[in-house]
Each structure stands twice: as C-alpha cells, then as structure tokens.
Amino acid sequence: MNILLDIMILAAGFLLLIKGADIFVDGSAGIAKNYKVPGGIIGLTIVALGTSAPELAVSTVAAIKGSNEIALSNVVGSNIFNLLMVLGVCAVIHNVPVEKSILKRDFPVSIVTTVFVLVASGFKTLTSGKIFHPYEKKASGTTGAENVKNTVSPMLDDAGTVTRLIGAALIIVFIVYIIALIKDARKNPDTGDESKPMSTGKCVIIIIIGIAMIIGGGECVVGGAKAIAKAAGMSETLIGLTIVAVGTSLPELVTSIVAAGKGETAMAVGNVVGSNIFNLMFILGISSVISPVTVNLASIYDMIILILLSIFVYLIVIKKKMIGRVSGIIMILLYVADVGFAAVR
C-alpha cells in the first residue's frame, strides 16, 4: 500500500514538473517579448534562477544544518547533469543552436568559475600530488580491516575548504555578472517577434505559478523516488548520489526540453549555462558564507571532471555552433560513465 502511494507521489511530481515548466517557459518568453529581451538572456537569468531553486534549497538547508559537504557535491553533481544530460537529451530531440553571446561570454564564465573554485578551495591538495596517489597507505603493519579503511576512506579525507571569503567573492562576481547581462539586454533588444504579447502582470503570475509547480514537483519526485529506493533496499549513499542529485536538476531538464519543443532553443541552452553559473556563484557562495564548505578528495575529482567535460562540450559548440543528435548521444553516455565511476570509486 505504501509503495503504491509512493508511486502515485512520484507520478504526480512528474506531472507538476512538466506542466509547471510548460507555463513557466510561456511566462518567461512573454516577458522577453514585452521588453525586447533576447530569449538567451531570459534563459540565463529568470529561467536559470527559477529552475535552480531546488539546488538552492538543498544546499542552503545543508549549510544551516552543518552538512556542508552536501552543498558542494549537490552543485557539482547538478552542473554535470545539466551539462551532459539536459543538453544531451535536448539535442537528441532537436538540434540545439548556441548563440554567439553564450559562446563568447557565458560558457567561458562557467568554466573559469569552476576552475577558480577548484584552485581556491583545493590548492594545497592539487600542489601536494595527493590526487595522483589517493589510496596510498598511511602506515604499514595494519590489520585487514585497517587496510580496507586505508584503501577506501582517503576519497572522503578533507582536501580543502570553500571559505566565507571565497563565498563572498563568488556572490560579488555573480552580482556583477547579472548587471552585465542586463546592460547587454538593453543594448541588444529583441525585435524579431511582432506578435501580440501577454501583459507583464499576467506573465509574472504565470512565472510564479510555474516556479511553485516546478519546486513542488521536484519535491514530490525526490521524496517518492527516495521512498521507493529505500523499499527496494538501496543504500542512503547510492540514493543521494543518484536520485537526489538528479531530482534537484529535473526542473532544468524538463524546462529545457519544453523550451526546445516550443522553438525556444536559445532559452534551453541559456537555462543550462545560466543554472550552472547560478549554482557555482550564488548557491555555493551563499552556502559557504553561512558555513565554510569542506571539500573532500572526491569533490576535487568531480570538479576536475566537470571542467574537462565543460571544455569538451565547449569545443563541440565552438566548432559546429550547435549541438547535434550524435553529440547529444555521446554526452548522455558520458554522464552514464561518470555516474558509474562515482559509484565504484
């Protein structure tokens, strides 16, 4: 009986996500038309901030409760999912062109920010060479149980910290970045669509309703899936690694797919890149200001992987100015491989 209820909650969550994303895109596109703002800018700001609400909630609560390692793993895991799965699935459904402004400004900002967080938080570990010898034994003559510990626990050893100072710097840079986007939107208004737009008031109401449905749907999906996973005997670690990380990124996935289906492909790419920047600068910034975020060796590896994957996707879009179906399939397979690596390390 309980499992049936959990399945119903999961299904209801998906319905809320899909419908919420649908009307959210409509409202956001309406504002874009009203103020002649390019769809890519709307995706980088309003849509990105709205769909990142679950990550913000999870990371902030984790920081307040002192479980601050979750803050970084949630951000990095969500960014990898956004980059590979969200864009990959959108590309499989429909070729996704990428605006020049995203190529020249936003994508590089996302990569540079990740590099900054990696270097600023894990400089000592990176320069010590520990990342190349994570399983090196700390002492000889240990028992069998201690040997197991020595070969498993190093991945969870403290490798650095995202300090309050780093967090404050990230928030300041984020504010400057948003101001730059607004100025750019004013200089380059969108004049291509002459259709009759919705009133701004109606657009705002639709956006608020969409955000509420997206957040509520995400909560239902995560809660229902977690309960089903527990009933199936999955460990808490595996649940957190898969369901929670993917669940908080479902709004980005659904919103981008709906946006691509409506022809708002610029908004789909802008949503992903904007969400990743928002996650790194604002969410991680807020979390670390509340409580310095401990960085373990596993997170160092994940950040390096995120940087390499970001560069890989960037090279694809630089060359083709779009993400095609074949590239999308490759990106999805890369995500599956990354999850597999994270599960067995």
Side-chain angles (χ1 to χ4, degrees):
M1 185 65 180
N2 287 337
I3 191 69
L4 180 60
L5 178 61
D6 293 331
I7 293 173
M8 290 175 65
I9 291 173
L10 184 66
F14 279 120
L15 289 174
L16 280 172
L17 278 173
I18 293 169
K19 187 58 182 176
D22 186 39
I23 64 176
F24 187 85
V25 169
D26 285 342
S28 300
I31 286 182
K33 292 173 184 176
N34 284 349
Y35 292 95
K36 307 299 182 182
V37 176
I41 297 294
I42 292 293
L44 284 162
T45 53
I46 298 174
V47 180
L49 270 61
T51 55
S52 288
E55 285 94 336
L56 177 60
V58 170
S59 293
T60 303
V61 170
I64 293 172
K65 291 185 176 181
S67 303
N68 49 17
E69 288 184 16
I70 295 175
L72 182 59
S73 61
N74 177 41
V75 165
V76 176
S78 294
N79 281 14
I80 292 175
F81 181 86
N82 290 344
L83 183 71
L84 297 181
M85 281 296 290
V86 175
L87 285 183
V89 170
C90 285
V92 169
I93 295 172
H94 189 283
N95 287 342
V96 180
V98 184
E99 290 185 350
K100 289 183 180 179
S101 60
I102 292 177
L103 287 175
K104 292 181 178 180
R105 178 192 59 210
D106 307 304
F107 223 122
V109 166
S110 177
I111 296 172
V112 170
T113 303
T114 311
V115 173
F116 168 74
V117 173
L118 172 64
V119 174
S121 63
F123 181 77
K124 290 183 179 179
T125 299
L126 293 170
T127 55
S128 69
K130 185 178 178 180
I131 58 172
F132 299 108
H133 307 285
Y135 300 107
E136 193 173 43
K137 291 182 180 180
K138 297 180 180 179
S140 58
T142 55
T143 64
E146 288 173 330
N147 277 332
V148 171
K149 183 179 179 181
N150 283 337
T151 57
V152 175
S153 61
M155 291 300 291
L156 302 179
D157 286 350
D158 290 353
T161 306
V162 182
T163 63
R164 286 190 171 93
L165 181 60
I166 296 173
L170 288 171
I171 294 172
I172 291 170
V173 172
F174 178 73
I175 293 172
V176 172
Y177 171 74
I178 292 297
I179 292 173
L181 288 183
I182 294 172
K183 287 183 177 180
D184 182 69
R186 289 179 176 176
K187 291 179 181 178
N188 302 288
D190 187 359
T191 58
D193 192 340
E194 299 298 329
S195 61
K196 185 178 180 181
M198 289 186 286
S199 68
T200 300
K202 185 176 180 180
C203 290
V204 171
I205 292 173
I206 287 176
I207 287 173
I208 292 172
I209 294 173
I211 290 175
M213 293 176 69
I214 288 170
I215 295 173
E219 288 293 323
C220 289
V221 168
V222 173
K226 186 174 181 179
I228 293 170
K230 280 186 176 180
M234 295 173 64
S235 69
E236 286 285 344
T237 300
L238 188 57
I239 292 170
L241 180 65
T242 55
I243 297 171
V244 174
V246 173
T248 56
S249 291
L250 280 177
E252 283 90 344
L253 176 62
V254 178
T255 302
S256 292
I257 290 174
V258 172
K262 291 176 177 287
E264 299 284 351
T265 51
M267 188 180 291
V269 178
N271 175 35
V272 166
V273 179
S275 292
N276 283 8
I277 292 172
F278 182 78
N279 290 346
L280 280 167
M281 291 185 182
F282 189 74
I283 294 179
L284 185 58
I286 290 292
S287 300
S288 55
V289 166
I290 293 172
S291 177
V293 176
T294 302
V295 181
N296 58 37
L297 198 56
S299 293
I300 294 288
Y301 277 96
D302 290 334
M303 281 191 281
I304 293 173
I305 289 171
L306 175 57
I307 292 168
L308 293 176
L309 290 173
S310 297
I311 293 172
F312 171 74
V313 175
Y314 185 60
L315 291 175
I316 290 176
V317 295
I318 277 288
K319 182 179 180 181
K320 299 182 178 180
K321 303 298 186 293
M322 63 172 290
I323 304 173
R325 182 165 294 164
V326 174
S327 297
I329 293 172
I330 292 172
M331 290 159 67
I332 293 171
L333 293 176
L334 282 173
Y335 179 75
V336 173
D338 177 64
V339 171
F341 170 70
V344 301
R345 68 186 177 199

